[in-house]
Amino acid sequence: MCTGKCSLCIAVTLYPLVLISIICNIVLFFPDGSVQYAKDGHITDEVKYMGGVIGGGILVLIPALHIHLTGKQGCCGNRCGMFLSIAFAAVGVVGALYSFVVAVLGLQNGPLCKVVLVWSRPFKDSDTSYLTDSSKWWMCTEPENIVQFNIGLFSTLVVTSGLQIILCATQMINGLFGCLCGACIKKEPGMI
């Protein structure tokens, strides 16, 4: 596969991952489908850091757009465009890493929930992991099913940002080959 086509494949794969990251982060603001928890400030810091919107979203979308253009014939489909794609892909790696770290911390620290009458993070700094011991989940009484909600969305962010890191790092290598060898984009007959 030539470097231009590889760039197109990477960019097209990054678009849905960006969308998934943004949606997951936005949904995390509304546990139990209610706006009330966000209004009252009963959401975790990891949600407020917006790793899925900023890191896995915007900081990966911008490189994806350039990488897409790099794979097409025109002003970006040349050695200079491939060189720039290395820098843009590096920005994508940084953004995806930010999303990944925030999501891992969200999983590790657990949700903010009401335990008896007090809002707290009962699984933070505990000796055993709540991720492997579902018998502790009953401690969270409000919002309903917050532990499953938290695990599902932060796990999705971990997977999507992990894929984004792999794809952007692959584009850095692809961009290097494209910079050294050319983008190998076929010109249509009659074009100079």
Side-chain angles (χ1 to χ4, degrees):
M1 181 183 278
C2 81
T3 57
K5 287 182 182 177
C6 184
S7 293
L8 277 173
C9 290
I10 288 171
V12 169
T13 308
L14 283 172
Y15 293 139
L17 294 174
V18 166
L19 187 62
I20 291 168
S21 290
I22 292 171
I23 290 171
C24 282
N25 200 150
I26 291 171
V27 171
L28 277 165
F29 276 98
F30 308 106
D32 205 20
S34 175
V35 183
Q36 193 61 41
Y37 302 109
K39 280 184 180 178
D40 295 341
H42 296 305
I43 53 175
T44 64
D45 289 336
E46 291 83 9
V47 175
K48 294 175 190 175
Y49 295 155
M50 297 198 328
V53 173
I54 296 170
I58 296 167
L59 288 178
V60 174
L61 179 61
I62 294 168
L65 292 170
H66 180 78
I67 292 167
H68 192 143
L69 291 174
T70 301
K72 293 186 175 249
Q73 186 170 345
C75 64
C76 294
N78 55 30
R79 290 175 196 252
C80 180
M82 283 300 211
F83 177 74
L84 288 174
S85 80
I86 297 170
F88 276 101
V91 170
V93 168
V94 169
L97 270 172
Y98 174 70
S99 179
F100 185 84
V101 169
V102 169
V104 167
L105 286 173
L107 279 173
Q108 179 183 352
N109 295 332
L112 175 67
C113 60
K114 190 182 257 186
V115 180
V116 186
L117 297 174
V118 179
W119 286 91
S120 68
R121 295 183 86 173
F123 309 118
K124 188 176 182 177
D125 302 324
S126 67
D127 294 337
T128 58
S129 175
Y130 76 99
L131 296 169
T132 57
D133 187 8
S134 62
S135 66
K136 296 180 177 184
W137 295 1
W138 63 269
M139 294 168 50
C140 288
T141 58
E142 188 182 338
E144 191 175 338
N145 297 320
I146 186 64
V147 178
Q148 296 92 322
F149 179 82
N150 194 64
I151 292 172
L153 291 170
F154 276 123
S155 295
T156 303
L157 281 171
V158 166
V159 171
T160 56
S161 59
L163 291 171
Q164 289 171 334
I165 291 167
I166 292 167
L167 289 168
C168 287
T170 302
Q171 178 56 33
M172 290 174 72
I173 296 165
N174 182 54
L176 178 63
F177 283 119
C179 184
L180 297 174
C181 306
C184 70
I185 297 172
K186 293 179 184 175
K187 294 185 179 182
E188 294 180 25
M191 292 190 73
I192 298 175

